[in-house]
Amino acid sequence: MLEKFRTAVATQLSELSGVDKDLVLAAIDAPRNPEHGDLAVAVPRLRVKGNPAQLAKDWVEKFQSNDLITGTNSIGPFMNFTINKEILKKDTLSSVFDLKEKFGMNNSGAGKRVLADFSSPNIAKPFHAGHLRSTIIGNFIMNLHRANGYDTVCLNYLGDWGKQYGLLAVGFDKYGDEKQLEIDPIKHLYDVYVKINADADLNPEIHDMARAYFKRMEDGDAEALAIWKRFRDLSIKKYIETYEKLNIHFDVYSGESQIGPGMVKGEQLLKEKGITENIDGAIVLNLEKYKLGKAIIQKRDGTTLYLTRDIGAAIERFETYNYDRSLYIVSTQQDLHFKQLFKTLELLELPFHDRHAHISYGLVKGMSTRKGTVVFLNDIIEQTTEHMHEVMKKNEHKYAAIEDPEKVAETVAISAIIVQDLAAKRIKDYVFDWNRMTSFEGDTGPYLQYAHARLCSLQRKVPMEFDKNIDFSLLKEDEAFAIIDILARYPDIISSTMTTLEPCTVVQYALKLSHAVSAAWENLWVQNQPDDIAKARLLLYYCARMVLGNALRLLGLTPLEKM
């Protein structure tokens, strides 16, 4: 919504400074202090020789005010511009009213396809809080790309191959129980995995048995593959149930086991390029001159590793989806692996080698699958839902008005879980803490849901038809303009967040909007007001509700109308 104002600043400032208009546009930002103006330009960003403070002063003095830009000032090297609030009010509220759920979206990515590999849990292991990070960050990033006009492919590349499945098969032979497998397959397979790992710590021969079993799988042994497939199918069924709770949908469920022709092509290319060496029977890729160490491509027994399969997967994915960008949303633990993968694709001279990016994030600490101290995501959801349900019951009147309180409690619980995870920069680690998961104080997911539900309740309480044909001058209070200003910046949030892919930017935006609405409730009443004022304020709150809902959906939440 600020685009026409930015263009007005850039057009005139380009003429005054001789700087390219696009460079000026890129330099326009919000002032650090809102009292200084509505838009700002830091002169050093324009890359012009001279004293920045003096240049700012000179250009501001020459800048001609107009219908869009009503005032200017300079503070040090900063130029500040005041925009026409009346035009902004009408443009913003009319646009939100007309576009509704599409407000803020753009077509900058039209005609481009982005593929993202995220979540990717390991078969026969529980989906825990560690997997949650990749899942919800990946879902946000793909929602963001869709909002910017991209065609998206969400791919869940399951960890369904490797020695650990040999270990699980050996463990199931020793500890498996068919009845327990039928009752709760994920839980039982997890228990088996923990027990056999404990045994293997005492008896290294178990690892040899596991390697031998996995070799049978790679050689196509029917019996070994049948057991593996059963574990895989049971696990995927359980994962899909969890994703549905989180309101996340994948276009493709793939896995390491399904990489075939691509891996053969990759191995052939590695040989042709002569970039591998044989060390004691193992095929090794030497990347030391790139400061990326050595990477094993094939073990001495002929079995493959992650890197081999990821090379094959990249080849197959490009052939299948012809993507413009391929994102791997995986923790910082895998930084080296992806640097090795991308460098290998470059050395193989694949035409799409520069289309990949590793979107990393910090770890959830304090859990370990192998030691059995993992916290299951379903347990987190159930216990947080239970806690939220108890909170809701305390208000009997509101509770009685909710049609499906259990479903609402689960939605609020999932909002709490997602927002607490996305609220900080994704690169930050955090220690798993139940109190943090179940806290509903302060700037939380439940607070955002409550703000949205409260805006919805206003429409139910006020029996008034509303539209965009209002007297915009009646929205003259500071609280009204604070909301309008935030709404006007939502399209910028959607486009600028593409640079950082930081979910916390949208979380903070949603909180800021909710705070502005909360402040407005105190003074900007709708009920018992003259019709023209009530109609203007009702439109303001409707637009706030619509944009807040858009931001929540972008984060992967389901906005609630009652709670």
Side-chain angles (χ1 to χ4, degrees), residues 124-127 172 175-193 230-231 234-235 237-239 241-242 376 378-379 382:
K125 293 184 185 179
F127 190 129
F172 193 78
Y175 295 112
D177 184 312
E178 286 295 329
K179 287 184 180 179
Q180 291 298 317
L181 189 66
E182 288 177 16
I183 294 168
D184 191 343
I186 295 292
K187 177 70 167 61
H188 183 56
L189 290 172
Y190 169 69
D191 289 342
V192 166
Y193 186 77
R230 189 177 179 210
F231 293 164
L234 288 168
S235 296
K237 183 179 178 183
K238 195 70 176 177
Y239 290 142
E241 291 175 11
T242 303
F376 294 3
N378 280 335
D379 289 344
E382 286 173 16

Side-chain angles (χ1 to χ4, degrees), residues 3 32 210:
E3 199 58 38
R32 293 179 182 176

